[in-house]
Amino acid sequence: MIYKPNGISTAIYDTEYLSLVDVNTEKIYRWPKEIQVNIYNEYHGGTFETTSDNQGYIYFASCYNLNYQYNQIYKLNPNDFTIQPMLPNDVTCNGFTVTEDGFIVYWNGIESFGEPKQNVRIKCPGGRIYPVFDNNTFILNGNLYSIRESENTIIRYKTVGNNDIEEETVCQMPEETEFYGYIQFTPNYVRNTMLINNSYEFDGEKCVKLENPVYVGDITTSKAWYSYNNTTFSKTAMADYQASEFHVLDYDILSISASPESPNIAFTGIRYLDGANVVGTIDENDKIIVDNVADNGEQIINLIPLN
């Protein structure tokens, strides 16, 4: 995706200067001007929210304005670069996800504001729409689950063909489970599990209470969660939930980038030794590697490697 305003002042959902690039053929496609998207979604980590299914189709949502209200969810076919609307007209939602079979789950409520999900619906590839009784839904290993608080159980939604869904009870939650409303789901990319309110762990078949709550920072890689304050990084390993700390004393870190697709943290900063602007990497073993030093003190921007 290329955004090229050529120095013209535009809104961050203005798609007049947006293009798509096929990286295989290097062919460039003009973005349809009637589809507005928020390319810098501050309610979703400052990113353009997309997801995909096991067929490689890419899903994204369009919006009326910056209030994080979607008015349509689209499916992009990367084989021929066609875009198809997936929801009926006049349907709005605040969030969505997609199962591995291409069943779209959408809802109201802005989770980053602490608002619970409401009015959860499932749009089947065949066209049928299912209302979901439970609002606390999540995706694990491509499958849709929910917590049914009234029964203290976890429900799995099995897809049947491309237009039907069956519910099945997977397991009971631990007896002492109390959620008090809002439930937070955090995927563990190493153990291939889901943390529930940082105190329970679900592996797709059973749910157990952890001995101690897991501290989950606001920086996520494929191997750990981090938080950063002044010179100190606090780290929780996904493999065994062990907590640790390390310090960065030789650099003034200005920006941090991380992705669940990479074990490393990329950063830009100033080297105290000589005041040079640097781009660096913190690897999964907490080792700092300086990748680039700017000439004449010019600032440089690092990109996150995805492999």
Side-chain angles (χ1 to χ4, degrees), residues 13 31 34 46 58 133 152 163 180 211 243 247:
Y13 55 91
W31 187 270
E34 66 273 15
I58 300 170
F133 176 76
N152 210 34
N163 210 33
Y180 304 107
E211 184 175 348
H247 302 276

Side-chain angles (χ1 to χ4, degrees), residues 126-191:
R128 193 170 183 178
I129 297 178
Y130 277 88
V132 177
F133 176 76
D134 309 306
N135 290 323
N136 298 305
T137 58
F138 62 95
I139 299 278
L140 178 63
N141 298 326
N143 298 310
L144 177 65
Y145 298 87
S146 71
I147 293 180
R148 185 155 295 170
E149 292 187 74
S150 61
E151 300 174 3
N152 210 34
T153 58
I154 294 181
I155 306 297
R156 177 163 47 219
Y157 298 83
K158 295 178 59 178
T159 57
V160 181
N162 72 343
N163 210 33
D164 206 355
I165 290 175
E166 293 180 354
E167 293 184 15
E168 65 174 356
T169 300
V170 178
C171 65
Q172 289 285 137
M173 294 290 295
E175 291 184 3
E176 68 277 14
T177 304
E178 293 182 347
F179 292 118
Y180 304 107
Y182 180 70
I183 300 178
Q184 179 181 1
F185 299 102
T186 305
N188 184 321
Y189 302 106
V190 173
R191 296 161 67 106

Side-chain angles (χ1 to χ4, degrees), residues 43 67-69 94 107-117:
Y43 302 125
N67 294 326
Y68 202 43
Q69 184 178 70
N94 297 119
W107 59 85
N108 298 115
I110 303 175
E111 293 180 281
S112 60
F113 284 1
E115 298 177 0
K117 292 180 181 177

Side-chain angles (χ1 to χ4, degrees), residues 12-195:
I12 61 177
Y13 55 91
D14 189 341
T15 56
E16 182 179 355
Y17 303 97
L18 194 64
S19 300
L20 285 173
V21 178
D22 186 336
V23 295
N24 294 316
T25 66
E26 299 183 358
K27 196 170 184 178
I28 300 176
Y29 297 84
R30 183 184 298 277
W31 187 270
K33 62 181 180 180
E34 66 273 15
I35 300 179
Q36 290 190 338
V37 294
N38 189 343
I39 61 175
Y40 185 83
N41 197 324
E42 64 271 32
Y43 302 125
H44 193 73
T47 61
F48 176 41
E49 184 177 5
T50 64
T51 189
S52 59
D53 61 23
N54 59 10
Q55 298 297 312
Y57 296 120
I58 300 170
Y59 299 81
F60 65 91
S62 63
C63 56
Y64 287 122
N65 48 43
L66 300 183
N67 294 326
Y68 202 43
Q69 184 178 70
Y70 297 141
N71 65 313
Q72 183 57 264
I73 296 172
Y74 291 90
K75 179 173 72 174
L76 169 65
N77 185 341
N79 297 314
D80 57 12
F81 274 71
T82 56
I83 296 176
Q84 175 186 356
M86 302 304 294
L87 299 185
N89 293 332
D90 301 322
V91 171
T92 61
C93 62
N94 297 119
F96 76 99
T97 189
V98 178
T99 71
E100 63 177 3
D101 297 327
F103 286 69
I104 300 171
V105 186
Y106 60 97
W107 59 85
N108 298 115
I110 303 175
E111 293 180 281
S112 60
F113 284 1
E115 298 177 0
K117 292 180 181 177
Q118 301 177 35
N119 305 319
V120 180
R121 302 287 185 265
I122 303 173
K123 172 65 185 301
C124 303
R128 193 170 183 178
I129 297 178
Y130 277 88
V132 177
F133 176 76
D134 309 306
N135 290 323
N136 298 305
T137 58
F138 62 95
I139 299 278
L140 178 63
N141 298 326
N143 298 310
L144 177 65
Y145 298 87
S146 71
I147 293 180
R148 185 155 295 170
E149 292 187 74
S150 61
E151 300 174 3
N152 210 34
T153 58
I154 294 181
I155 306 297
R156 177 163 47 219
Y157 298 83
K158 295 178 59 178
T159 57
V160 181
N162 72 343
N163 210 33
D164 206 355
I165 290 175
E166 293 180 354
E167 293 184 15
E168 65 174 356
T169 300
V170 178
C171 65
Q172 289 285 137
M173 294 290 295
E175 291 184 3
E176 68 277 14
T177 304
E178 293 182 347
F179 292 118
Y180 304 107
Y182 180 70
I183 300 178
Q184 179 181 1
F185 299 102
T186 305
N188 184 321
Y189 302 106
V190 173
R191 296 161 67 106
N192 206 23
T193 59
M194 185 68 71
L195 286 178

Side-chain angles (χ1 to χ4, degrees), residues 216-236:
V216 175
D218 55 359
I219 304 169
T220 302
T221 71
S222 61
K223 295 292 183 69
W225 298 285
Y226 299 81
S227 62
Y228 174 66
N229 183 33
N230 197 7
T231 62
T232 302
F233 278 86
S234 299
K235 173 182 177 181
T236 302

Side-chain angles (χ1 to χ4, degrees), residues 160-303:
V160 181
N162 72 343
N163 210 33
D164 206 355
I165 290 175
E166 293 180 354
E167 293 184 15
E168 65 174 356
T169 300
V170 178
C171 65
Q172 289 285 137
M173 294 290 295
E175 291 184 3
E176 68 277 14
T177 304
E178 293 182 347
F179 292 118
Y180 304 107
Y182 180 70
I183 300 178
Q184 179 181 1
F185 299 102
T186 305
N188 184 321
Y189 302 106
V190 173
R191 296 161 67 106
N192 206 23
T193 59
M194 185 68 71
L195 286 178
I196 302 174
N197 278 6
N198 299 345
S199 296
Y200 305 90
E201 186 172 32
F202 177 64
D203 64 2
E205 297 298 333
K206 64 181 182 300
C207 184
V208 297
K209 182 177 175 62
L210 298 171
E211 184 175 348
N212 297 300
V214 177
Y215 174 73
V216 175
D218 55 359
I219 304 169
T220 302
T221 71
S222 61
K223 295 292 183 69
W225 298 285
Y226 299 81
S227 62
Y228 174 66
N229 183 33
N230 197 7
T231 62
T232 302
F233 278 86
S234 299
K235 173 182 177 181
T236 302
M238 293 183 182
D240 55 11
Y241 298 132
Q242 290 298 306
S244 61
E245 288 187 349
F246 62 94
H247 302 276
V248 178
L249 301 177
D250 297 327
Y251 304 92
D252 182 8
I253 293 181
L254 303 179
S255 67
I256 290 175
S257 301
S259 166
E261 297 176 337
S262 170
N264 301 326
I265 297 174
F267 72 90
T268 63
I270 299 173
R271 188 164 55 195
Y272 289 129
L273 179 64
D274 54 9
N277 285 287
V278 301
V279 165
T281 299
I282 302 173
D283 69 15
E284 59 184 294
N285 299 313
D286 308 336
K287 181 180 178 181
I288 298 176
I289 303 167
V290 174
D291 303 314
N292 202 352
V293 179
D295 294 331
N296 302 321
E298 295 177 352
Q299 291 189 353
I300 45 183
I301 299 173
N302 199 18
L303 299 179

